[in-house]
Structures are given as structure tokens and as C-alpha cells.
Amino acid sequence: MSIIFNREHLKGFIEQKDINKISSRIEKAHNDLEQGTGSGGEITGWKDLPSRIENNFIDELVKLGEEVRSYSDCVISIGIGGSYLGIRSSVEFLREYKIPIHYAGNNMSVDYLHHLLESVKDKSVSVVVISKSGATTEPAIAFRIVKQMLKEKYSEEELKKRIICVTDGEKGALRHIADTNGYRSFVIPDDVGGRFSILTPVGLVPLAIAGVDIKSLVDGARKGEEEYSKFDLENNIAYQYAATRYLLSKKGKHIEVTASFYDNLYYVLEWWKQLYGESEAKDGKGIFPASLIMSTDLHSMGQLMQEGARNVFETFIDIERPNHSILVPKDDEDLDEFNIVAGKDLDYVNTQAYKATASAHFEGGVPNMTLTLCQADAFHLGQLYYFYERAVAISGYLLGVNPFNQPGVEAYKKKMFALLGKK
Ligand code: PA5
């Protein structure tokens, strides 16, 4: 059970000896992260979070999930950014939810919310509203609207069962709303930033209610913490990945495309884009994170990857053992001449498409690497989350930025508040 890192298609671009040459800088980044002496050190509580999560707390959340499911047909998870993407990426990757989970507060499209409210109006609904600051516009307004619908359906007492708030322990409007109305609430630790919060109640509460195997998710992250927290450039693949992308960016490869031939990784890649975009891109620096889902995007962006401007590198996420098997049937007429793969698993064909693409892109001048998850399960997803968190902290420090803030996100808010007349 593990994640395997393949660097075959970096030959001629980045070798282990290039990584070794910057080992003292990687060691400094590692020490700064470990000792909290790097910029944003006060918000690096995620780094040993998996090993600090109490098993009793996981059991408590599993029970909460059973309870909420016993009187709910569906759950609405309200949040944006780090209070949204980790939840959705886990649910959609695992496809193992026990009740439908809907999302609100991640956009302000009126038609989207209208259709969501219509689709749940005759259902028994519970809500998890998540905001670390407790003050973000999009989820705050969505919560108002959803709460109004719930108030028309349920008594005040019933609302106390159906509304769960995940927010700061003391500050913010959402904390105030929870305490004033007696809604159940969970605290997001001060020292864990939004996009690093999937293993706090931000992710664990809605995932437990959806019925996702949060115990395995946390166990996988614990394995990630064990494997990727050591300064060991020969074996720590998170540090190898961080160093490789940093060195590639220094060679003019300013765009990283993470691609997968498994469509259930779509939202994992959205989560990854937030983690890397918000963490690295500041002070005029950063690598632009983009994502592709193959084969769909091979027939659109595949052209750009093969022959476009050579400022791109690529990271594939492969899955060794998908959860299901479909054999390609034999066709007596064989007009499409695909009896060559009759009797083979569809995943065999998909894997050849991945191998062919990685090799063609490499030959076309796109250095690429592959992370292979042995299985598409909660354990490996937890390990992958931790892998990416560790790696972005190191690559952010290598780039010379504070990977744990996001000052640029405030610019649109200031202008929006001015337009709305908000003080
Ligand atoms: O990474 C971050 O901190 C941000 O992307 C936040 O997660 C996002 O802005 C949502 O913030 P909040 O949970 O305070 O509503």
C-alpha cells in the first residue's frame, strides 16, 4: 500500500544529481518547516495533524454521521476554497457516499442555487456550514438562503439537530450564529490554514455524514506523515517532487499540468490547484497549476501538450488497481478491428493510453513524472493529500514565498465590498 514516484521521463531535464546540488537549500526548507522558523510558521499545524488526531474523535464523528443520516435524505455542505474542495474531492474520488451531498456557497450563481433548493425542497435536509474566518461572503449568503428554507420546514429545536457549524473556536460571525442559536459546532484549529484543513473537522465532519471511510483517510495521511516528513532526498518522494518542480521552473517550465486517466480525480486536481496556486503564487513568483482529465482532454488540450510552447511540465496521477473490471467483448464482425484487445480489461487499454501519452509528451519536449496510487481508496487519498501538503511547503520555501498566506485573495473582496456598500 503506497504511492510510487516514476521519474523516467525527466531524463535530460532533471536528474537526482541536480536535486542533490540544492540539498542544503532543501534541508533549510525542511528545518524551517519542522521548527516553525520559516515564514507562516505559526500556521503549520497540519504537518503533524494526522498523528495528533485522536481515534476517539474519529469514532465520535462516525456516530454523528450515523445519527444525521438516520433523519436526513441529503446533506448540503456550505463553504468555499479550503472549506469546500477537500470535501468534494474526497466524495467524488471515492464515490462511496451513503447519502447525497450537495454543495453551496462555492459560487453565487442564482440558477445554481435555485436548482439546488428545488431539488431538495421535498427532502429531509441537514446542513454543514464551514468557514474558518466565519466571514466569507459566498458561504455566508448561501447559509442565509438555505437557513431561510430550513426555517420554513423545521422548528427551532429541529434546526439544532440539522445545522452543524464548523468554524473558529471564538471569533467570526459563524461562531456567533452557532453559539446564539445553539447549533452544534466544531472548531477549526488556529494553526491550520484553510487549504490544509481537509483532516480537521472542515473535511471530517461532512465526510463522516456522507458516510466516507474517514478512519482510512486519516490512516493514509498518517502513513504520509511517516513517509514524507524526513529529510531524506534518496527516499522522500514528496521532497523529490518539490525539488524537481522547482528546478523545472528555473529552466523556464512555468506551468505544471497534473493529468490523470481516471476521471474520479477531477476534484482532487481542483483541490491540488487551490493548494499550489494559493500557496506558491505571490510576490510575482509561482508555477501555474493546471489540470487535465484524459482521454477527454487528449482530444482538445492534447495538441497543446504535444506541440505548444515548451513552458510546461506534466505530472500524471495513475491508479494501479481501479475498483472495478470491465472486459472488452469480442465482436464477430470486428469492423473496428478492436478484437486485438477482446478479453482484456478496459483498464489495460487505458493504461496503454497513459503510457503512450507520457512517452509522446516526453519526446515532444514535455518533461513528466508519475505518481501511482496502488489503489483508488480512502487510505491512498489520505496519503496523497499529505504528500501534496508537504511538497508545497518545501517548494514554496524553495521559491522564497510564504506558502501559508493568500494576501492576493483580499483584492477582489475589497472592491466587491465597496460595490456592495459593506464597511
Ligand atoms: O486556503 C485558504 O485559507 C482559503 O482558500 C480559504 O479556505 C477560503 O478563502 C475560505 O475561507 P473561510 O473558510 O474562512 O470561509
Side-chain angles (χ1 to χ4, degrees), residues 80-83 130-136 139 188 193-196 274 278 406 409 413:
I80 193 166
S83 298
I130 309 154
S131 177
K132 183 162 196 250
S133 60
T136 309
I188 308 172
R195 57 191 173 276
F196 292 82
Q274 187 210 359
E278 272 194 343
Q406 56 285 331
V409 178
K413 290 187 193 167

Side-chain angles (χ1 to χ4, degrees), residues 81 85-86 89 195-196 241 245 254-259 265-280 287-292 313-317 369 371 381 384-385 387-389 391-392 395:
L85 285 163
S89 66
R195 57 191 173 276
F196 292 82
Y241 168 70
R245 53 198 302 289
H254 296 301
I255 300 171
E256 178 176 13
V257 171
T258 299
L265 277 151
Y266 180 89
Y267 273 97
V268 175
L269 302 188
E270 293 299 303
W271 171 87
W272 168 79
K273 282 194 281 194
Q274 187 210 359
L275 184 67
Y276 279 65
E278 272 194 343
S279 300
E280 289 185 329
I287 299 169
F288 188 95
S291 63
L292 297 176
F313 66 96
E314 200 169 16
T315 304
F316 291 97
I317 306 186
M369 40 198 165
L371 292 165
L381 183 62
L384 186 69
Y385 282 145
F387 169 92
Y388 273 135
E389 290 178 352
V392 83
S395 68

Side-chain angles (χ1 to χ4, degrees), residues 151 159 195 212 280 295 336 349:
K151 280 187 167 170
L159 288 184
R195 57 191 173 276
V212 165
E280 289 185 329
S295 288
D336 58 12
V349 187

Side-chain angles (χ1 to χ4, degrees), residues 239-306:
Y239 284 22
Q240 289 169 4
Y241 168 70
T244 301
R245 53 198 302 289
Y246 168 74
L247 291 168
L248 285 168
S249 76
K250 292 286 154 205
K251 291 190 164 187
K253 309 283 181 195
H254 296 301
I255 300 171
E256 178 176 13
V257 171
T258 299
S260 184
F261 283 73
Y262 296 88
D263 77 298
N264 53 335
L265 277 151
Y266 180 89
Y267 273 97
V268 175
L269 302 188
E270 293 299 303
W271 171 87
W272 168 79
K273 282 194 281 194
Q274 187 210 359
L275 184 67
Y276 279 65
E278 272 194 343
S279 300
E280 289 185 329
K282 51 200 69 156
D283 309 332
K285 298 176 186 168
I287 299 169
F288 188 95
S291 63
L292 297 176
I293 290 292
M294 314 298 205
S295 288
T296 314
D297 290 329
L298 279 178
H299 293 254
S300 57
M301 300 297 280
Q303 173 61 34
L304 184 153
M305 295 305 292
Q306 194 63 45

